[in-house]
Amino acid sequence: MTKQISGSDINFHPDTLCADDIGRGVCRLFTHMGYAPLTEFPLTNNRRVDVIGLAKGSEWVIAEIKASERDFRSDRKWPEYLAFCDEFYFAVAGGFPLEILPTDVGIIVADSFHGAILRKAPRLKMNTTRRRAQILHFGRKAAGRWHGLVDPKR
């Protein structure tokens, strides 16, 4: 049986968490939700998302990690990610000022061990042709990363 995790279950230390810590918690959350996650995934629009997840039904979820308020305020690229997913989230550490995040996207709070959805993302409409092409791109990227782990001197 899987334990439900809420934001209050997460042991946050926002002053010591970096984007990699938050990303680890997001990947664990996505896996728990039935997604296969990849980090630092390049999109076909020459942008790179922090975490993307693919579900069995070919649904896509993207999380953009914001480790600080300054990081969020200086980033204007995230709207370009919306056409590449069915759900979009900002992922932040505990203590992040949530009121500055847009109200029309989801929010995940995470540390390096867990993640919790504080606000469910609205459903987006992804282009069918893009969805199919992205599945192939995702598979090739994941296979290439795996091969690099098992045969680093390839």
Side-chain angles (χ1 to χ4, degrees):
M1 179 175 221
T2 306
K3 180 182 184 279
Q4 281 293 95
I5 297 171
S6 70
S8 62
D9 293 330
I10 299 173
N11 184 16
F12 295 115
H13 302 283
D15 296 337
T16 61
L17 290 178
C18 67
D20 288 343
D21 295 325
I22 297 167
R24 181 177 172 204
V26 169
C27 286
R28 286 180 173 195
L29 173 65
F30 282 179
T31 299
H32 177 75
M33 294 169 60
Y35 290 92
L38 280 179
T39 59
E40 298 298 324
F41 182 76
L43 301 174
T44 56
N45 65 354
N46 296 318
R47 296 291 184 200
R48 184 185 330 246
V49 297
D50 294 326
V51 184
I52 192 167
L54 174 62
K56 288 181 182 178
S58 76
E59 297 90 7
W60 291 99
V61 61
I62 290 176
E64 175 66 3
I65 297 168
K66 294 298 160 202
S68 68
E69 181 177 348
R70 180 177 173 198
D71 181 19
F72 171 74
R73 294 199 186 278
S74 66
D75 180 9
R76 296 293 170 234
K77 300 179 306 283
W78 67 268
E80 298 176 44
Y81 305 155
L82 300 178
F84 294 87
C85 62
D86 298 297
E87 294 182 6
F88 178 83
Y89 291 89
F90 278 109
V92 299
F96 188 93
L98 300 177
E99 64 278 358
I100 69 170
L101 297 174
T103 58
D104 58 346
V105 299
I107 298 174
I108 294 171
V109 175
D111 62 15
S112 57
F113 300 101
H114 307 285
I117 293 176
L118 294 189
R119 181 171 64 215
K120 180 86 171 127
R123 193 82 173 154
L124 303 169
K125 184 69 175 163
M126 190 174 175
N127 176 285
T128 304
T129 302
R130 178 177 289 135
R131 183 183 305 279
R132 275 183 272 164
Q134 190 163 288
I135 290 169
L136 178 61
H137 181 56
F138 185 90
R140 291 185 54 81
K141 182 61 72 177
R145 289 182 184 179
W146 176 254
H147 183 71
L149 290 172
V150 297
D151 186 7
K153 295 187 181 203
R154 57 187 159 132

